[in-house]
Amino acid sequence: ARDKKLEVSLGLSYARPNLHNADRTNVAQTTSGIKSDPYQADKAADLKWTSFSLVIPLSSWLGIGVSGSLPIGHLARMHAFTGHESTYLHYNERQSRPEVFTAISSNLPWGFSMGAGIFHSFLAEGQMQLAASDTDADARMLMELKPSYIPYAGLGYTKEIDQQKLFKMGAFYRAASKEKSEIVIDTSFNIAGVGTFPLSAGSEMIAYYDPETFAFGASYKSSTFAIHNSVIRSMWSHYKAPVIGLLGKDLSDLTGGKIVQDSITLDDTWSFQLGGEFFNVFNLFGGSVHMASGLEFHESALPDKPTSLAVVDSERYVVNLGSTLRFESLGSAIEHPVDFIFGFKYSQYKKENLKAYNSGAQTQSGKIGGHYFAALMGVKLEL
């Protein structure tokens, strides 16, 4: 709300996960006959995506903004699992989607400002039919991607200490993203000499779950440096894993009505961030260089005695480094301020030997750990 100039930013990001396989062991294996998942976390693909943002001041007290990211190489990935394998809660390259945030903000009296917006995502719904006999086979499928809208809001306070010193603080809230994707499955197998075996079932899952989030932050800025800190509370205790739950009378009759899955539960978590910036450290190519660094700590969302290791997590420690090369103009070609931005992020997953318990007895075990490296570059133009 307090930006006075139109700002356009474009970015390109690259990330390399290097996580250990959970190597989960189960006391009780699945009896459905489904093949084991061949995925290996230590062979996860690199992640690449583009990002953009646009800030438009409409007046001295009102502004709107749009930001988002788009994966490179595919539009989206949706991974649903059985619950008999392990997947990382964070840094999971099997889950990705386009993300768009839109917001409107307004200045209020006494240095306050507020904003509200929508996080735009999507969910999938579809129907699949399959029929097979000893002489023929046919299938049809309909799949729809439907929009999903998640609200968020923020409140800020700005205090000008003098012409060169500024204090800011703010609070943020985003609702949970937990809409279910539904797929109807209708199959029929007609085998000569044996008979017809129909199976009608429905499946539902939450493909992309984002927890309800509360955040608070503050910063102090002078002409030479700035300090930022924030704390985030993520409500993972309401988590719904992307496990396909099969429902239906035919399925119930076939299995005797006894389809029991391990309960996947997580805990709410705290995250802490501390960062600093130094302005005009030195000149390069006629522009001024700003340097930034930051530290983060994220609690593990996995309970002390989990009942399932289908979703695993551990404490994470993160180091961030960044720099900005700022030009007041690029000659007659661009007569406006331009920033070239570079950043690096290194995240360390704490190594842990995990154990799951059911009715006081150990039922599963696994090992997790590893690290994650990301780099980004971008350009920001003020008009």
Side-chain angles (χ1 to χ4, degrees):
R2 296 186 178 276
D3 287 343
K4 305 304 179 184
K5 297 180 181 180
L6 174 68
E7 291 185 3
V8 180
S9 301
L10 298 174
L12 179 66
S13 303
Y14 164 85
R16 174 59 183 165
N18 187 11
L19 305 177
H20 302 329
N21 292 324
D23 294 330
R24 173 180 166 188
T25 61
N26 292 341
V27 173
Q29 296 286 347
T30 175
T31 58
S32 67
I34 191 171
K35 294 182 179 179
S36 60
D37 186 1
Y39 178 77
Q40 298 292 317
D42 62 352
K43 298 179 182 179
D46 297 342
L47 304 174
K48 298 177 284 291
W49 63 93
T50 59
S51 58
F52 67 92
S53 69
L54 179 64
V55 178
I56 306 174
L58 300 180
S59 68
S60 60
W61 60 275
L62 187 67
I64 60 175
V66 180
S67 67
S69 64
L70 181 67
I72 296 176
H74 58 272
L75 179 62
R77 280 180 179 159
M78 183 185 302
H79 172 229
F81 49 86
T82 65
H84 298 286
E85 61 267 12
S86 291
T87 183
Y88 280 87
L89 179 63
H90 301 285
Y91 308 142
N92 185 353
E93 56 94 13
R94 306 181 83 180
Q95 302 279 47
S96 61
R97 59 183 166 175
E99 296 183 347
V100 177
F101 295 81
T102 56
I104 185 168
S105 59
S106 174
N107 288 323
L108 301 174
W110 307 299
F112 287 94
S113 59
M114 66 178 299
I118 297 293
F119 169 46
H120 304 259
S121 184
F122 63 86
L123 56 91
E125 291 187 0
Q127 182 176 7
M128 181 177 69
Q129 294 177 319
L130 172 65
S133 68
D134 53 353
T135 59
D136 197 7
D138 289 297
R140 65 170 62 94
M141 182 177 69
L142 173 65
M143 185 69 69
E144 293 182 287
L145 294 179
K146 295 188 175 182
S148 174
Y149 306 104
I150 312 303
Y152 62 92
L155 177 66
Y157 172 76
T158 302
K159 173 67 175 179
E160 293 185 6
I161 302 174
D162 56 38
Q163 291 183 347
Q164 294 184 333
K165 297 177 181 179
L166 201 65
F167 173 76
K168 294 183 178 182
M169 60 188 302
F172 170 84
Y173 169 79
R174 187 179 72 181
S177 173
K178 54 183 180 180
E179 294 191 68
K180 294 181 178 180
S181 298
E182 297 183 358
I183 300 176
V184 177
I185 304 169
D186 188 359
T187 61
S188 177
F189 298 94
N190 188 358
I191 303 175
V194 178
T196 300
F197 297 89
L199 174 60
S200 296
S203 68
E204 59 180 23
M205 66 172 181
I206 299 176
Y208 303 107
Y209 182 90
D210 297 297
E212 185 180 26
T213 302
F214 301 86
F216 175 82
S219 70
Y220 172 81
K221 180 180 179 181
S222 71
S223 60
T224 57
F225 72 93
I227 299 176
H228 312 272
N229 66 85
S230 63
V231 57
I232 301 174
R233 182 66 165 170
S234 300
M235 313 306 288
W236 286 107
S237 58
H238 305 299
Y239 176 71
K240 301 295 182 182
V243 175
I244 296 180
L246 297 175
L247 309 169
K249 184 178 182 303
D250 290 346
L251 193 65
S252 179
D253 293 341
L254 182 64
T255 61
K258 297 179 180 180
I259 303 177
V260 179
Q261 295 177 334
D262 293 334
S263 175
I264 300 174
T265 58
L266 299 178
D267 287 342
D268 298 335
T269 63
W270 290 98
S271 300
F272 304 93
Q273 293 85 29
L274 176 65
E277 293 181 86
F278 294 92
F279 308 123
N280 304 313
V281 179
F282 58 89
N283 292 328
L284 182 67
F285 305 127
S288 60
V289 175
H290 309 327
M291 303 296 295
S293 62
L295 299 174
E296 304 176 36
F297 169 74
H298 302 267
E299 280 188 327
S300 170
L302 203 64
D304 292 336
K305 288 189 175 182
T307 56
S308 170
L309 297 182
V311 176
V312 295
D313 192 29
S314 180
E315 292 180 355
R316 288 172 290 135
Y317 304 86
V318 185
V319 177
N320 302 276
L321 297 174
S323 65
T324 299
L325 177 59
R326 182 177 179 84
F327 296 92
E328 295 304 320
S329 69
L330 293 179
S332 58
I334 302 178
E335 299 179 349
H336 301 279
V338 180
D339 293 345
F340 293 94
I341 304 165
F342 306 90
F344 303 92
K345 176 188 289 285
Y346 177 83
S347 303
Q348 180 67 51
Y349 248 119
K350 181 181 177 181
K351 294 182 179 180
E352 286 195 74
N353 295 321
L354 301 177
K355 297 179 181 179
Y357 298 86
N358 197 336
S359 301
Q362 179 182 332
T363 58
Q364 305 163 19
S365 64
K367 298 179 180 180
I368 63 171
H371 61 268
Y372 179 92
F373 173 80
L376 65 90
M377 59 184 299
V379 58
K380 181 175 75 173
L381 177 63
E382 294 182 7
L383 301 174

